[in-house]
Structures are given as C-alpha cells and as structure tokens.
Amino acid sequence: MAADLALVGARATSFWSAQRIVGVVLLAAIAAFAFLTPFVIDTDPVRQSLRHALGGPTAAEPLGYDHLGRSMLARLSAALRLSLGLALLSVVTAAVPGIALGILAAWKGGVVDRLVSLVADAFLALPGLLLVLMFVAIVPNAPWALYVGISLVLWIEYFRLTRSVTRALVASPAVQASRLLGFGPLYVVRRHIWPEIAPLVLTVGAFGAASAIAAIAALSFVSVGVRPPTPELGLMMTELLPYYHEAPHALLQPVVAVFLLILSLNFIAGSNSR
C-alpha cells in the first residue's frame, strides 16, 4: 500500500512540472478574461461608433477601438470565447471516438482492428486542411462546421496513440490476471489502461487544441471560415491589417492573444517523463 502511494505521488510530482503549471495559470488567466469580461462591461462587440474609429485606449475602453469604432475589449473577449469553445469542442469530439475506437481495436484485434485502422487510413489519405475547407464550403458562415472538420482530422491521433499503448497493455501480466479473475472490460480499462494513456491523451489534447486554434485563425485570416461581423482572432487580424500604421495597438491585440493561447497549451502539453 505504501509503495502504491509513493508511486502515485511520484507520478503526480512528475506530471505537475513547473512548465505545465505556468501553462495552466496562463490559460486560466486568458479564460477568465474571455468569460468574465461580459460581466464587468456592458459593451456589444458588434456595435459601431465611427467617431471612435481607430481610437486609442481610454479609461472607458482600455484596449481602444477598431476601424469601425467597435470596442476592442468586447471583441477580443468574444473572439477568445469562440476560439476556446471551438477548440474544446474539437478536442472532445475527436478524443471520445478516437480513444474508444483505439481501445476497441487493440482489445478485439483481428478483423475489427483491421477495419477501424482502414477507416483511419482513409481519413489520412485526405489532407486535413482540405477536409476542413470542404465542410466550410458546404456550410458557410457556420462556426460548428469548423470544429466538425477539425475533429475529423484530430481523432486519428487519439486512435493511433490509444491503439498502440493498449495493444501492449492488453498483453501485460496485470491485465491478463484481471481477466482471469473475471473482471470485465470496464474494470480493466479504468484500472489498467486509462491511468497509462491519460497523461498521453492530455498531451495530444493540448497540442490538438493549439492546432485547432491556429487552424481557425488561419482560415479566417484568408477569409475562409467565420464571417464578419462575428469576432474571431484571425478575422480581426484581417480586418485590422490595412490600418497597422494608424493603430498598431489594435492589430497587435489579436496577434498577442493567439500567441499566448498557443503558448499556454504547449506549456500544458509539456513532456511526460516517467
């Protein structure tokens, strides 16, 4: 018992590295800004006031105004909520089927393994960006189409990782002993498989969320994806780029927001030295 507790403590210590803690704190601060700002200010992110166009920071608007006189504070917080929400949905939508299919393929083997692997290979045959663009073209001006397309790309990573780790675990003495003692698949997954793949899933999930945020911003930057006047980080860059000389502070805000978001997620992904 003491040895098990010591092992758990060692895993927790290695899991919560200084880099990962910094990433969690930074992401929590960004999320707090995104979700708490509407409760602090009462500003519509799409309301225009041309007399404030490209205005600098003031006491009422600490982040200034964009080229149409819209509040940068309100638009930046709304854009962060959209990016965080779509990234979270993309990761969850990709992780759940990817992990479930990976465990199923490794557990059953044989025909099931080959069929699921064939489906994954079929998705890999299509470039990820092309798959996302297809969904956006079919359902234009629909943010959910972005996360569906990204999820169809990301689930393969969870499947391949889970399948690889689970295949080794299924053949391990611990799992074989549990099955001989009559424990069912749910117990084996909860007791033996999930503790081993959870840290790896967190790493893939953090990288996947960062990739989703970068993809959404990049698609909007090239005018594919979210349409005006919806606040989105990439779209904000596109709209403000022509006014860089007049209001560089306005353009830098969504750029810094994307940088900090991806940096925090990469810190959270960290390294899983064990």
Side-chain angles (χ1 to χ4, degrees), residues 27-157:
L27 183 61
I30 296 172
F33 169 79
F35 290 97
L36 296 181
T37 296
F39 297 99
V40 178
I41 63 169
D42 184 19
T43 305
D44 185 354
V46 299
R47 186 172 60 198
Q48 302 180 13
S49 178
L50 294 180
R51 64 190 181 92
H52 291 130
L54 301 178
T58 63
E61 289 293 341
L63 298 184
Y65 300 87
D66 70 357
H67 61 297
L68 295 177
R70 297 173 295 194
S71 168
M72 285 297 298
L73 181 65
R75 288 186 66 76
L76 194 62
S77 64
L80 285 170
R81 290 195 300 274
L82 178 63
S83 293
L84 287 170
L86 289 178
L88 179 61
L89 283 173
S90 299
V91 168
V92 172
T93 307
V96 172
I99 294 172
L101 291 174
I103 294 176
L104 177 65
W107 189 283
K108 294 294 186 180
V111 176
V112 175
D113 187 11
R114 288 194 293 271
L115 284 177
V116 180
S117 298
L118 182 62
V119 173
D121 291 339
F123 275 93
L124 282 176
L126 282 174
L129 182 58
L130 177 61
L131 193 59
V132 176
L133 289 175
M134 287 172 55
F135 268 89
V136 174
I138 294 172
V139 190
N141 199 25
W144 64 265
L146 286 173
Y147 96 81
V148 170
I150 294 171
S151 299
L152 290 176
V153 177
L154 292 179
W155 78 270
I156 303 170
E157 297 297 327

Side-chain angles (χ1 to χ4, degrees), residues 230-245:
T230 303
E232 197 281 321
L233 296 173
L235 185 59
M236 291 173 67
M237 296 181 208
T238 304
E239 292 177 336
L240 292 168
L241 187 59
Y243 308 98
Y244 171 72
H245 293 290

Side-chain angles (χ1 to χ4, degrees), residues 15-24 202-203 267-272:
F15 181 81
W16 289 109
S17 62
Q19 175 180 317
R20 184 161 279 160
I21 292 173
V22 171
V24 170
L202 174 62
T203 298
F267 277 174
I268 291 173
S271 59
N272 289 305

